[in-house]
Amino acid sequence: MTAFRTTRDVRSTPEGLLWEPSARWVRGRRGEVTLVDSRHPVLVWEPDVPVPLYAFPRDEVRVDLLRPARNPPTGTHTGSRIFYDLELDGELLANAAWTFPSADLAGHIAFEWFGRVGRGLDHWYEEEEEIFVHPRDPHKRVDALASSRHVRVEIDGTLVADTVRPVLLFETALPTRFYIPREDVRLDLFVPTAHHTACPYKGTADYWSLRGDAPVAPNIVWSYPDPLPAVAPIRNLLAFYNEAVDITVDDEPQARPVTPFTESLERRKRN
């Protein structure tokens, strides 16, 4: 019988890992082949990495398809020393899996996620729902709330959006994002791009860049045309990076936050 836990069970290791047992049924596939079918997964947070990964008991992994890595990397995944190549249908996927050095996680194997790093297993499921990029953090919350706040967005002194019907998206550890109806955005000032990103909490986003030569990063505006059900109110609305534009809410200017996106936005602007 599985013991029921009424509190979070996050544990730490001497190597700096945090880990927590999960009650979710998790499966990982490469194409149509199931490599992981686990009812006892463990969530693992590596130092200085804001999102978790799963690790799985060996007996819930197709270890028969794993081979000792021919060229294991160094300095990755918290000093892991044992890496595996995945051999499947004549294809060899280098360093697709690994074990963590911690004794607490002995007997567990983790996998790369294609949606996160461009290699590894390309389909993941929690229960019957497909998940993307990385596991959703049980300590993180995302809420999309309709609002009547007056939100104005300016770029280099030009008003590009003005609304009193935004949807505010509150996401743990990130600034509030203001999603604005398209009718309240000067879309004539922007051009759609081929850029897309995927989020395990929201879905897949489309992007726009500002026309002209204003000193702002490309892909400054995004929208989720088909968001995940939990954030359905943001469907087809437009959001701006608070880190790179000037936002006023109810006549109160908002400070530009410093987030993990700040450096990449500055770098994209310079390029």
Side-chain angles (χ1 to χ4, degrees):
M1 178 180 296
T2 302
F4 179 74
R5 301 184 305 276
T6 58
T7 59
R8 293 294 186 194
D9 193 16
V10 180
R11 311 169 196 182
S12 61
T13 76
E15 297 80 9
L17 297 165
L18 297 176
W19 65 280
E20 178 180 26
S22 173
R24 302 187 183 199
W25 174 26
V26 178
R27 285 156 292 158
R29 296 176 182 169
R30 175 74 182 185
E32 298 300 318
V33 178
T34 298
L35 279 298
V36 175
D37 190 338
S38 177
R39 288 171 171 79
H40 307 92
V42 172
L43 282 165
V44 182
W45 290 262
E46 297 185 72
D48 301 319
V49 179
V51 298
L53 287 172
Y54 276 122
F56 309 96
R58 291 182 66 92
D59 60 2
E60 297 179 342
V61 171
R62 286 286 305 274
V63 293
D64 59 303
L65 298 176
L66 299 180
R67 309 285 182 263
R70 296 178 181 178
N71 297 293
T74 58
T76 61
H77 296 304
T78 317
S80 296
R81 293 179 295 277
I82 301 177
F83 284 82
Y84 299 96
D85 297 337
L86 171 62
E87 188 173 348
L88 184 63
D89 297 331
E91 180 184 23
L92 190 71
L93 302 177
N95 301 307
W98 71 94
T99 62
F100 287 107
S102 171
D104 290 7
L105 297 172
H108 287 72
I109 297 176
F111 285 83
E112 298 287 12
W113 289 40
F114 185 88
R116 183 182 179 198
V117 296
R119 58 189 176 88
L121 306 193
D122 50 14
H123 294 284
W124 289 93
Y125 301 85
E126 291 177 343
E127 302 300 330
E128 296 301 327
E129 182 176 331
E130 187 167 9
I131 55 175
F132 305 93
V133 187
H134 61 78
R136 285 172 285 200
D137 190 327
H139 304 282
K140 186 168 187 174
R141 185 181 178 97
V142 180
D143 295 303
L145 304 179
S147 176
S148 59
R149 296 196 194 202
H150 185 192
V151 177
R152 292 165 51 91
V153 182
E154 294 183 9
I155 298 178
D156 197 31
T158 298
L159 182 67
V160 297
D162 190 339
T163 190
V164 291
R165 47 183 185 149
V167 171
L168 274 56
L169 190 130
F170 301 93
E171 184 170 353
T172 303
L174 286 176
T176 303
R177 300 299 190 190
F178 301 92
Y179 282 79
I180 299 173
R182 294 183 179 222
E183 298 82 1
D184 297 337
V185 177
R186 287 283 309 278
L187 265 180
D188 60 301
L189 300 177
F190 298 87
V191 57
T193 75
H195 185 61
H196 299 281
T197 59
C199 171
Y201 307 100
K202 298 184 286 292
T204 300
D206 299 333
Y207 282 78
W208 288 257
S209 290
L210 186 69
R211 298 180 187 272
D213 299 321
V216 66
N219 300 309
I220 198 70
V221 185
W222 71 88
S223 178
Y224 289 93
D226 189 22
L228 296 176
V231 292
I234 69 172
R235 182 184 303 274
N236 286 324
L237 304 187
L238 298 166
F240 295 78
Y241 277 108
N242 312 42
E243 298 89 338
V245 302
D246 296 312
I247 296 179
T248 302
V249 180
D250 293 336
D251 297 323
E252 181 178 346
Q254 305 295 295
R256 291 189 182 184
V258 177
T259 74
F261 300 104
T262 300
E263 184 177 348
S264 65
L265 286 165
E266 283 297 318
R267 186 169 57 250
R268 283 156 43 190
K269 182 173 70 174
R270 292 193 298 268
N271 294 337

